[in-house]
DNA sequence: AAATTTGATGTAATCGATTGCATGAAATAT
DNA sequence: ATATTTCATGCAATCGATTACATCAAATTT
């Protein structure tokens, strides 16, 4: 059954007693080919079940129509969603996407890049590994003249196109929202200080407090690894305080959720007694009760932006473009965990789709 | 800076005053090349920063070392995880993975297949779209002699390699577990009857009941779309019953979670009053309180199996292999929502990793 | 010493599509 | 009627690596 030989333009040419070049041009709708032969060629191609060999075309043209995407892990919601955004955009073009995972390992990242370069990809989108501090392997990509765009994580030392989210602004919005709800004694669950996104989130929190003439109380800023368990532990600690806070802004949804569980168990009303806001808009935030207000990082949009930036770069590749840093505006998704005042008109509530198998 | 021309084997050959074929052979460690030249070539290649062009090799050899994976959505945990499994295995080989999303649309699926065939992939792994009932476009793949493996979703009418999970067995295990915990009046949240996986899960539930000489009460089997909201609604209804059930086995984690929330709000103790078990082991199941017992579908393992099956097929491609259906054994992950008896030794509890940004 | 084997490398075709540069015929302009 | 375009297609090189076959010198065998 399996017809070993795939038909090529030469097969079509032979059958029609013309040359392969004519066939090639006819299929590409070249203006110099008569309509009659075009029709004939197309018809015959269909009859012979012709499928172009893009590998051959790639070799000749020097462009593979492949894009490499390097992410730490594909089964992390955020990155999967970024990839989705990339795919959404590139699916309407001739590009195919190759996915590589670094598992946050520098070695793996290097070998990924090597593999992608060998596959002659036309561009690489990457979110670098946590281990990565030296960027010479990324510079290799740029030196080869292959467009590179970093997303989510980026380093200012390395001058390259990047698409990131504004963590500072996200935290600012979250805190400002809590203040608008009447909260004044707002605890911040902060992350490790050596990670830039957590420093930015803390800055956003502090700035929002200051702008509203609320004092930034160091005792209200608690550092942890921001995991679920830490959230629970911190909540237990807070319950021992003389004076309870009236809100918590957590730099992670997980810690926020852990805290909520503990508070609920102690019959503390959310958001009446303590309002809670998280960060990342993980899918579970809309599932729990009350829904957890959170900062959405526009993961899919980030992917779309990245892909579109690449396509834009292609158009005027002539010029030596200066690398651009695109900073996406995070969005506060307001849910029950922070909505103390009467329901306000909420025109842009984006709920992640419910998923079931 | 960007050295326009990449070095080829010809460049190396010219520099060393030998031919490209010798270079090619030296790099491939061909036995007929002297060690001296091998060393020299390898050294020079490194110096000249040579990077093989796998496109050219692919054209010549007729094998691209690309694998196409078609999934409905990449940002669905289950599929992302399958892809992860595939990547895990193929990363140790020369294969690269191209991802395509069908968005559960038949048209998209067809165009994905077309694109992959044009890219000359060496194999295709696919989970077909919900819309798909006719499989002729998949048959095209097989007819071209390209290995095709379906995963998760499969149709018995179409004879092809497949890796799936045993939904029946998963449901059986879940129900059996509830019975072991002393439950007798077990409600089943069933899914749409036209979907095979939901029929299988119901069968598993019924069979487990029968085996334990418990009657299968049609009134205890409730159909819905299994979304979170449905779970809540059904729980409210159940609360009106004269006699409450002592357990719920839901064919979806979402519905189970919705029900749990409602029960908790009505001060019904879980699992003492009502034990709950879900299906799919979604990541949130380990986050909520109590943790939701659920059936794990081994998504990553499914991907690994699929990739390994492909690699096995390659080895003895000589023979006309009969398509194999691999059925993975689902695993019951026991958590607080169903554990009424004294904690039993639990030796294989696999908790999904907590993820935080 | 002649014959044969082995070892190391070169020659050239090939994979399939693309494309700059002819070519020859028909159409139009002078 | 001759000169010049325009049109439709053919020719042949090219992309870079691979590989069957050829070649030639050195090593070994008889």
């Amino acid at each position: 059954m399996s017809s070993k030989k795939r038909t090529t333009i030469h097969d079509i040419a032979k059958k029609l007693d013309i040359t392969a070049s004519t066939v090639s041009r006819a299929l590409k709708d070249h203006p110099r080919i008569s309509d009659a032969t075009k029709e004939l060629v197309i018809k015959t191609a269909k009859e012979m079940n012709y499928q172009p060999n893009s590998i051959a075309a790639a070799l000749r043209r020097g462009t593979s129509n492949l894009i490499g995407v390097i992410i730490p892990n594909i089964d992390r919601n955020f990155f999967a969603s970024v990839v989705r955004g990339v795919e959404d955009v590139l699916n309407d073009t001739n590009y195919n996407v190759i996915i590589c995972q670094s598992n946050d390992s520098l070695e793996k990242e290097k070998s990924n890049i090597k593999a992608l370069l060998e596959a002659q990809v036309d561009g690489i989108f990457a979110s670098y590994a946590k281990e990565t501090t030296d960027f010479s392997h990324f510079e290799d990509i740029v030196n080869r003249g292959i467009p590179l765009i970093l997303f989510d994580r980026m380093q200012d030392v390395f001058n390259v196109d990047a698409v990131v989210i504004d963590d500072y602004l996200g935290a600012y919005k979250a805190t400002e929202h809590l203040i608008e709800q009447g909260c004044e004694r707002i605890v911040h669950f902060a992350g490790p200080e050596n990670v830039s996104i957590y420093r930015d989130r803390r800055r956003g929190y502090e700035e929002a407090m200051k702008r509203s003439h609320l004092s930034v109380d160091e005792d209200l800023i608690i550092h942890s690894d921001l995991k679920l368990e830490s959230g629970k532990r911190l909540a237990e600690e807070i319950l021992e305080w003389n004076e309870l806070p009236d809100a918590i802004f957590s730099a992670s949804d997980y810690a926020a959720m852990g805290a909520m569980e503990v508070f609920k168990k102690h019959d503390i009303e959310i958001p009446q007694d303590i309002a809670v806001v998280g960060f990342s808009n993980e899918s579970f935030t809309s599932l729990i009760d009350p829904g957890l207000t959170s900062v959405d990082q526009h993961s899919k949009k980030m992917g779309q932006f990245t892909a579109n930036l690449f396509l834009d770069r292609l158009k005027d590749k002539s010029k030596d473009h200066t690398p651009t840093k695109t900073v996406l505006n995070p969005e506060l998704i307001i849910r029950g965990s922070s909505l103390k005042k009467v329901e306000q008109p909420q025109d842009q509530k984006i709920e992640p789709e419910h998923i079931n198998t």
Side-chain angles (χ1 to χ4, degrees), chain A residues 10-40:
Chain A
H10 293 95
D11 300 328
I12 300 175
K14 200 172 293 172
K15 184 155 192 176
L16 297 180
D17 202 31
I18 53 180
T19 53
S21 28
T22 305
V23 174
S24 172
R25 291 187 179 108
L27 291 173
K28 282 187 55 193
D29 202 26
H30 187 110
R32 277 310 201 27
I33 299 292
S34 70
D35 291 345
T37 41
K38 273 184 194 170
E39 251 180 73
L40 189 61

PDB file of all heavy atoms in Angstrom, chain A residues 10-40:
ATOM      1  N   HIS A  10       9.608  16.797 -10.593  1.00  0.00           N
ATOM      2  CA  HIS A  10      10.150  16.153 -11.793  1.00  0.00           C
ATOM      3  C   HIS A  10       9.184  15.118 -12.359  1.00  0.00           C
ATOM      4  O   HIS A  10       9.054  14.983 -13.570  1.00  0.00           O
ATOM      5  CB  HIS A  10      11.497  15.503 -11.476  1.00  0.00           C
ATOM      6  CG  HIS A  10      12.566  16.496 -11.162  1.00  0.00           C
ATOM      7  ND1 HIS A  10      12.881  16.860  -9.872  1.00  0.00           N
ATOM      8  CD2 HIS A  10      13.353  17.238 -11.968  1.00  0.00           C
ATOM      9  CE1 HIS A  10      13.837  17.780  -9.903  1.00  0.00           C
ATOM     10  NE2 HIS A  10      14.140  18.030 -11.159  1.00  0.00           N
ATOM     11  N   ASP A  11       8.514  14.423 -11.467  1.00  0.00           N
ATOM     12  CA  ASP A  11       7.535  13.435 -11.918  1.00  0.00           C
ATOM     13  C   ASP A  11       6.417  14.129 -12.692  1.00  0.00           C
ATOM     14  O   ASP A  11       5.976  13.669 -13.741  1.00  0.00           O
ATOM     15  CB  ASP A  11       6.950  12.694 -10.721  1.00  0.00           C
ATOM     16  CG  ASP A  11       8.029  11.967  -9.923  1.00  0.00           C
ATOM     17  OD1 ASP A  11       9.016  11.533 -10.558  1.00  0.00           O
ATOM     18  OD2 ASP A  11       7.896  11.852  -8.702  1.00  0.00           O
ATOM     19  N   ILE A  12       5.983  15.234 -12.143  1.00  0.00           N
ATOM     20  CA  ILE A  12       4.917  15.991 -12.808  1.00  0.00           C
ATOM     21  C   ILE A  12       5.412  16.497 -14.154  1.00  0.00           C
ATOM     22  O   ILE A  12       4.710  16.413 -15.167  1.00  0.00           O
ATOM     23  CB  ILE A  12       4.481  17.184 -11.923  1.00  0.00           C
ATOM     24  CG1 ILE A  12       3.969  16.668 -10.575  1.00  0.00           C
ATOM     25  CG2 ILE A  12       3.422  18.011 -12.623  1.00  0.00           C
ATOM     26  CD1 ILE A  12       3.636  17.764  -9.583  1.00  0.00           C
ATOM     27  N   ALA A  13       6.644  16.997 -14.157  1.00  0.00           N
ATOM     28  CA  ALA A  13       7.223  17.540 -15.385  1.00  0.00           C
ATOM     29  C   ALA A  13       7.284  16.475 -16.470  1.00  0.00           C
ATOM     30  O   ALA A  13       6.883  16.703 -17.614  1.00  0.00           O
ATOM     31  CB  ALA A  13       8.617  18.084 -15.095  1.00  0.00           C
ATOM     32  N   LYS A  14       7.755  15.309 -16.081  1.00  0.00           N
ATOM     33  CA  LYS A  14       7.902  14.224 -17.054  1.00  0.00           C
ATOM     34  C   LYS A  14       6.543  13.879 -17.665  1.00  0.00           C
ATOM     35  O   LYS A  14       6.392  13.742 -18.861  1.00  0.00           O
ATOM     36  CB  LYS A  14       8.515  12.997 -16.370  1.00  0.00           C
ATOM     37  CG  LYS A  14       9.156  12.018 -17.341  1.00  0.00           C
ATOM     38  CD  LYS A  14       9.910  10.925 -16.570  1.00  0.00           C
ATOM     39  CE  LYS A  14      11.129  11.487 -15.823  1.00  0.00           C
ATOM     40  NZ  LYS A  14      11.749  10.482 -14.931  1.00  0.00           N
ATOM     41  N   LYS A  15       5.569  13.781 -16.780  1.00  0.00           N
ATOM     42  CA  LYS A  15       4.238  13.403 -17.236  1.00  0.00           C
ATOM     43  C   LYS A  15       3.680  14.417 -18.240  1.00  0.00           C
ATOM     44  O   LYS A  15       3.011  14.052 -19.201  1.00  0.00           O
ATOM     45  CB  LYS A  15       3.309  13.296 -16.030  1.00  0.00           C
ATOM     46  CG  LYS A  15       1.902  12.808 -16.385  1.00  0.00           C
ATOM     47  CD  LYS A  15       1.268  12.155 -15.182  1.00  0.00           C
ATOM     48  CE  LYS A  15       0.011  11.394 -15.559  1.00  0.00           C
ATOM     49  NZ  LYS A  15      -0.533  10.688 -14.384  1.00  0.00           N
ATOM     50  N   LEU A  16       3.970  15.679 -18.017  1.00  0.00           N
ATOM     51  CA  LEU A  16       3.403  16.726 -18.880  1.00  0.00           C
ATOM     52  C   LEU A  16       4.378  17.116 -19.996  1.00  0.00           C
ATOM     53  O   LEU A  16       4.075  18.005 -20.797  1.00  0.00           O
ATOM     54  CB  LEU A  16       3.054  17.959 -18.037  1.00  0.00           C
ATOM     55  CG  LEU A  16       1.975  17.740 -16.969  1.00  0.00           C
ATOM     56  CD1 LEU A  16       1.731  19.025 -16.201  1.00  0.00           C
ATOM     57  CD2 LEU A  16       0.686  17.268 -17.642  1.00  0.00           C
ATOM     58  N   ASP A  17       5.536  16.499 -19.990  1.00  0.00           N
ATOM     59  CA  ASP A  17       6.554  16.787 -20.990  1.00  0.00           C
ATOM     60  C   ASP A  17       6.958  18.264 -20.983  1.00  0.00           C
ATOM     61  O   ASP A  17       7.024  18.930 -22.014  1.00  0.00           O
ATOM     62  CB  ASP A  17       6.057  16.371 -22.394  1.00  0.00           C
ATOM     63  CG  ASP A  17       7.228  16.153 -23.325  1.00  0.00           C
ATOM     64  OD1 ASP A  17       8.303  15.740 -22.845  1.00  0.00           O
ATOM     65  OD2 ASP A  17       7.074  16.433 -24.540  1.00  0.00           O
ATOM     66  N   ILE A  18       7.172  18.770 -19.795  1.00  0.00           N
ATOM     67  CA  ILE A  18       7.715  20.110 -19.622  1.00  0.00           C
ATOM     68  C   ILE A  18       8.873  19.989 -18.632  1.00  0.00           C
ATOM     69  O   ILE A  18       9.213  18.868 -18.234  1.00  0.00           O
ATOM     70  CB  ILE A  18       6.652  21.098 -19.087  1.00  0.00           C
ATOM     71  CG1 ILE A  18       6.016  20.526 -17.812  1.00  0.00           C
ATOM     72  CG2 ILE A  18       5.608  21.377 -20.148  1.00  0.00           C
ATOM     73  CD1 ILE A  18       4.976  21.419 -17.217  1.00  0.00           C
ATOM     74  N   THR A  19       9.475  21.089 -18.237  1.00  0.00           N
ATOM     75  CA  THR A  19      10.585  20.977 -17.287  1.00  0.00           C
ATOM     76  C   THR A  19      10.127  21.235 -15.858  1.00  0.00           C
ATOM     77  O   THR A  19       9.081  21.842 -15.618  1.00  0.00           O
ATOM     78  CB  THR A  19      11.702  21.991 -17.607  1.00  0.00           C
ATOM     79  OG1 THR A  19      11.119  23.277 -17.682  1.00  0.00           O
ATOM     80  CG2 THR A  19      12.410  21.635 -18.883  1.00  0.00           C
ATOM     81  N   ALA A  20      10.994  20.795 -14.963  1.00  0.00           N
ATOM     82  CA  ALA A  20      10.683  20.963 -13.535  1.00  0.00           C
ATOM     83  C   ALA A  20      10.560  22.433 -13.177  1.00  0.00           C
ATOM     84  O   ALA A  20       9.748  22.806 -12.320  1.00  0.00           O
ATOM     85  CB  ALA A  20      11.754  20.302 -12.689  1.00  0.00           C
ATOM     86  N   SER A  21      11.355  23.251 -13.827  1.00  0.00           N
ATOM     87  CA  SER A  21      11.300  24.675 -13.476  1.00  0.00           C
ATOM     88  C   SER A  21       9.924  25.249 -13.798  1.00  0.00           C
ATOM     89  O   SER A  21       9.395  26.071 -13.038  1.00  0.00           O
ATOM     90  CB  SER A  21      12.390  25.463 -14.204  1.00  0.00           C
ATOM     91  OG  SER A  21      12.730  24.873 -15.406  1.00  0.00           O
ATOM     92  N   THR A  22       9.371  24.814 -14.904  1.00  0.00           N
ATOM     93  CA  THR A  22       8.038  25.297 -15.246  1.00  0.00           C
ATOM     94  C   THR A  22       7.022  24.836 -14.202  1.00  0.00           C
ATOM     95  O   THR A  22       6.155  25.600 -13.775  1.00  0.00           O
ATOM     96  CB  THR A  22       7.618  24.780 -16.632  1.00  0.00           C
ATOM     97  OG1 THR A  22       8.605  25.155 -17.577  1.00  0.00           O
ATOM     98  CG2 THR A  22       6.285  25.356 -17.036  1.00  0.00           C
ATOM     99  N   VAL A  23       7.153  23.606 -13.796  1.00  0.00           N
ATOM    100  CA  VAL A  23       6.245  23.083 -12.783  1.00  0.00           C
ATOM    101  C   VAL A  23       6.377  23.899 -11.507  1.00  0.00           C
ATOM    102  O   VAL A  23       5.386  24.350 -10.928  1.00  0.00           O
ATOM    103  CB  VAL A  23       6.548  21.601 -12.485  1.00  0.00           C
ATOM    104  CG1 VAL A  23       5.694  21.113 -11.332  1.00  0.00           C
ATOM    105  CG2 VAL A  23       6.309  20.755 -13.717  1.00  0.00           C
ATOM    106  N   SER A  24       7.626  24.106 -11.104  1.00  0.00           N
ATOM    107  CA  SER A  24       7.863  24.870  -9.888  1.00  0.00           C
ATOM    108  C   SER A  24       7.222  26.246  -9.976  1.00  0.00           C
ATOM    109  O   SER A  24       6.518  26.686  -9.061  1.00  0.00           O
ATOM    110  CB  SER A  24       9.369  25.005  -9.649  1.00  0.00           C
ATOM    111  OG  SER A  24       9.635  25.896  -8.590  1.00  0.00           O
ATOM    112  N   ARG A  25       7.438  26.891 -11.101  1.00  0.00           N
ATOM    113  CA  ARG A  25       6.873  28.237 -11.261  1.00  0.00           C
ATOM    114  C   ARG A  25       5.353  28.217 -11.312  1.00  0.00           C
ATOM    115  O   ARG A  25       4.686  29.070 -10.735  1.00  0.00           O
ATOM    116  CB  ARG A  25       7.429  28.873 -12.540  1.00  0.00           C
ATOM    117  CG  ARG A  25       8.905  29.211 -12.438  1.00  0.00           C
ATOM    118  CD  ARG A  25       9.356  29.990 -13.656  1.00  0.00           C
ATOM    119  NE  ARG A  25      10.771  30.347 -13.577  1.00  0.00           N
ATOM    120  CZ  ARG A  25      11.716  29.792 -14.320  1.00  0.00           C
ATOM    121  NH1 ARG A  25      11.421  28.862 -15.208  1.00  0.00           N
ATOM    122  NH2 ARG A  25      12.973  30.168 -14.192  1.00  0.00           N
ATOM    123  N   ALA A  26       4.832  27.231 -11.986  1.00  0.00           N
ATOM    124  CA  ALA A  26       3.379  27.141 -12.097  1.00  0.00           C
ATOM    125  C   ALA A  26       2.759  26.991 -10.718  1.00  0.00           C
ATOM    126  O   ALA A  26       1.766  27.653 -10.387  1.00  0.00           O
ATOM    127  CB  ALA A  26       2.999  25.956 -12.979  1.00  0.00           C
ATOM    128  N   LEU A  27       3.358  26.153  -9.904  1.00  0.00           N
ATOM    129  CA  LEU A  27       2.809  25.918  -8.568  1.00  0.00           C
ATOM    130  C   LEU A  27       2.928  27.165  -7.691  1.00  0.00           C
ATOM    131  O   LEU A  27       2.139  27.369  -6.777  1.00  0.00           O
ATOM    132  CB  LEU A  27       3.535  24.746  -7.907  1.00  0.00           C
ATOM    133  CG  LEU A  27       3.255  23.379  -8.524  1.00  0.00           C
ATOM    134  CD1 LEU A  27       4.148  22.309  -7.919  1.00  0.00           C
ATOM    135  CD2 LEU A  27       1.782  23.005  -8.338  1.00  0.00           C
ATOM    136  N   LYS A  28       3.938  27.962  -7.990  1.00  0.00           N
ATOM    137  CA  LYS A  28       4.116  29.167  -7.186  1.00  0.00           C
ATOM    138  C   LYS A  28       3.380  30.356  -7.793  1.00  0.00           C
ATOM    139  O   LYS A  28       3.562  31.477  -7.355  1.00  0.00           O
ATOM    140  CB  LYS A  28       5.601  29.499  -7.061  1.00  0.00           C
ATOM    141  CG  LYS A  28       6.322  28.629  -6.048  1.00  0.00           C
ATOM    142  CD  LYS A  28       7.746  29.144  -5.874  1.00  0.00           C
ATOM    143  CE  LYS A  28       7.736  30.609  -5.499  1.00  0.00           C
ATOM    144  NZ  LYS A  28       9.057  31.239  -5.620  1.00  0.00           N
ATOM    145  N   ASP A  29       2.600  30.106  -8.822  1.00  0.00           N
ATOM    146  CA  ASP A  29       1.808  31.146  -9.471  1.00  0.00           C
ATOM    147  C   ASP A  29       2.703  32.268 -10.018  1.00  0.00           C
ATOM    148  O   ASP A  29       2.405  33.452  -9.865  1.00  0.00           O
ATOM    149  CB  ASP A  29       0.782  31.715  -8.483  1.00  0.00           C
ATOM    150  CG  ASP A  29      -0.380  32.377  -9.202  1.00  0.00           C
ATOM    151  OD1 ASP A  29      -0.655  31.982 -10.350  1.00  0.00           O
ATOM    152  OD2 ASP A  29      -0.988  33.298  -8.631  1.00  0.00           O
ATOM    153  N   HIS A  30       3.748  31.866 -10.633  1.00  0.00           N
ATOM    154  CA  HIS A  30       4.681  32.818 -11.237  1.00  0.00           C
ATOM    155  C   HIS A  30       3.995  33.524 -12.413  1.00  0.00           C
ATOM    156  O   HIS A  30       3.328  32.879 -13.217  1.00  0.00           O
ATOM    157  CB  HIS A  30       5.909  32.031 -11.716  1.00  0.00           C
ATOM    158  CG  HIS A  30       7.026  32.886 -12.208  1.00  0.00           C
ATOM    159  ND1 HIS A  30       8.209  33.015 -11.524  1.00  0.00           N
ATOM    160  CD2 HIS A  30       7.149  33.660 -13.315  1.00  0.00           C
ATOM    161  CE1 HIS A  30       9.011  33.824 -12.200  1.00  0.00           C
ATOM    162  NE2 HIS A  30       8.382  34.225 -13.288  1.00  0.00           N
ATOM    163  N   PRO A  31       4.149  34.836 -12.531  1.00  0.00           N
ATOM    164  CA  PRO A  31       3.423  35.595 -13.569  1.00  0.00           C
ATOM    165  C   PRO A  31       3.829  35.208 -15.000  1.00  0.00           C
ATOM    166  O   PRO A  31       3.060  35.415 -15.939  1.00  0.00           O
ATOM    167  CB  PRO A  31       3.802  37.045 -13.272  1.00  0.00           C
ATOM    168  CG  PRO A  31       5.043  36.971 -12.442  1.00  0.00           C
ATOM    169  CD  PRO A  31       4.944  35.720 -11.666  1.00  0.00           C
ATOM    170  N   ARG A  32       5.014  34.691 -15.138  1.00  0.00           N
ATOM    171  CA  ARG A  32       5.495  34.407 -16.481  1.00  0.00           C
ATOM    172  C   ARG A  32       5.010  33.076 -17.049  1.00  0.00           C
ATOM    173  O   ARG A  32       5.442  32.644 -18.113  1.00  0.00           O
ATOM    174  CB  ARG A  32       7.026  34.426 -16.482  1.00  0.00           C
ATOM    175  CG  ARG A  32       7.650  35.815 -16.602  1.00  0.00           C
ATOM    176  CD  ARG A  32       7.080  36.590 -17.727  1.00  0.00           C
ATOM    177  NE  ARG A  32       7.852  37.701 -18.246  1.00  0.00           N
ATOM    178  CZ  ARG A  32       9.164  37.871 -18.222  1.00  0.00           C
ATOM    179  NH1 ARG A  32       9.922  36.998 -17.631  1.00  0.00           N
ATOM    180  NH2 ARG A  32       9.738  38.918 -18.771  1.00  0.00           N
ATOM    181  N   ILE A  33       4.174  32.395 -16.289  1.00  0.00           N
ATOM    182  CA  ILE A  33       3.662  31.106 -16.770  1.00  0.00           C
ATOM    183  C   ILE A  33       2.220  31.289 -17.245  1.00  0.00           C
ATOM    184  O   ILE A  33       1.427  31.967 -16.596  1.00  0.00           O
ATOM    185  CB  ILE A  33       3.710  30.058 -15.631  1.00  0.00           C
ATOM    186  CG1 ILE A  33       5.146  29.836 -15.153  1.00  0.00           C
ATOM    187  CG2 ILE A  33       3.094  28.738 -16.086  1.00  0.00           C
ATOM    188  CD1 ILE A  33       6.053  29.163 -16.132  1.00  0.00           C
ATOM    189  N   SER A  34       1.913  30.678 -18.359  1.00  0.00           N
ATOM    190  CA  SER A  34       0.570  30.860 -18.930  1.00  0.00           C
ATOM    191  C   SER A  34      -0.481  30.200 -18.041  1.00  0.00           C
ATOM    192  O   SER A  34      -0.210  29.197 -17.381  1.00  0.00           O
ATOM    193  CB  SER A  34       0.502  30.250 -20.317  1.00  0.00           C
ATOM    194  OG  SER A  34       0.550  28.846 -20.233  1.00  0.00           O
ATOM    195  N   ASP A  35      -1.655  30.800 -18.076  1.00  0.00           N
ATOM    196  CA  ASP A  35      -2.721  30.264 -17.242  1.00  0.00           C
ATOM    197  C   ASP A  35      -3.032  28.816 -17.590  1.00  0.00           C
ATOM    198  O   ASP A  35      -3.355  28.018 -16.714  1.00  0.00           O
ATOM    199  CB  ASP A  35      -3.981  31.126 -17.404  1.00  0.00           C
ATOM    200  CG  ASP A  35      -3.773  32.505 -16.790  1.00  0.00           C
ATOM    201  OD1 ASP A  35      -2.798  32.653 -16.013  1.00  0.00           O
ATOM    202  OD2 ASP A  35      -4.565  33.410 -17.082  1.00  0.00           O
ATOM    203  N   ALA A  36      -2.915  28.506 -18.853  1.00  0.00           N
ATOM    204  CA  ALA A  36      -3.233  27.153 -19.298  1.00  0.00           C
ATOM    205  C   ALA A  36      -2.344  26.129 -18.594  1.00  0.00           C
ATOM    206  O   ALA A  36      -2.831  25.174 -17.978  1.00  0.00           O
ATOM    207  CB  ALA A  36      -3.048  27.054 -20.810  1.00  0.00           C
ATOM    208  N   THR A  37      -1.022  26.338 -18.663  1.00  0.00           N
ATOM    209  CA  THR A  37      -0.119  25.371 -18.020  1.00  0.00           C
ATOM    210  C   THR A  37      -0.281  25.380 -16.516  1.00  0.00           C
ATOM    211  O   THR A  37      -0.208  24.344 -15.879  1.00  0.00           O
ATOM    212  CB  THR A  37       1.354  25.649 -18.377  1.00  0.00           C
ATOM    213  OG1 THR A  37       1.569  27.040 -18.346  1.00  0.00           O
ATOM    214  CG2 THR A  37       1.689  25.121 -19.751  1.00  0.00           C
ATOM    215  N   LYS A  38      -0.491  26.557 -15.973  1.00  0.00           N
ATOM    216  CA  LYS A  38      -0.706  26.602 -14.517  1.00  0.00           C
ATOM    217  C   LYS A  38      -1.819  25.645 -14.121  1.00  0.00           C
ATOM    218  O   LYS A  38      -1.656  24.793 -13.248  1.00  0.00           O
ATOM    219  CB  LYS A  38      -1.083  28.022 -14.094  1.00  0.00           C
ATOM    220  CG  LYS A  38       0.102  28.912 -13.796  1.00  0.00           C
ATOM    221  CD  LYS A  38      -0.361  30.269 -13.297  1.00  0.00           C
ATOM    222  CE  LYS A  38       0.784  31.259 -13.331  1.00  0.00           C
ATOM    223  NZ  LYS A  38       0.338  32.645 -13.093  1.00  0.00           N
ATOM    224  N   GLU A  39      -2.939  25.811 -14.786  1.00  0.00           N
ATOM    225  CA  GLU A  39      -4.084  24.964 -14.472  1.00  0.00           C
ATOM    226  C   GLU A  39      -3.743  23.496 -14.609  1.00  0.00           C
ATOM    227  O   GLU A  39      -4.029  22.675 -13.736  1.00  0.00           O
ATOM    228  CB  GLU A  39      -5.239  25.292 -15.433  1.00  0.00           C
ATOM    229  CG  GLU A  39      -6.387  26.009 -14.775  1.00  0.00           C
ATOM    230  CD  GLU A  39      -7.485  26.289 -15.787  1.00  0.00           C
ATOM    231  OE1 GLU A  39      -8.174  25.333 -16.178  1.00  0.00           O
ATOM    232  OE2 GLU A  39      -7.607  27.465 -16.213  1.00  0.00           O
ATOM    233  N   LEU A  40      -3.103  23.197 -15.723  1.00  0.00           N
ATOM    234  CA  LEU A  40      -2.744  21.823 -16.018  1.00  0.00           C
ATOM    235  C   LEU A  40      -1.840  21.243 -14.937  1.00  0.00           C
ATOM    236  O   LEU A  40      -2.054  20.139 -14.428  1.00  0.00           O
ATOM    237  CB  LEU A  40      -2.043  21.756 -17.382  1.00  0.00           C
ATOM    238  CG  LEU A  40      -1.788  20.350 -17.929  1.00  0.00           C
ATOM    239  CD1 LEU A  40      -3.108  19.616 -18.132  1.00  0.00           C
ATOM    240  CD2 LEU A  40      -1.018  20.435 -19.249  1.00  0.00           C
TER     241      LEU A  40
END
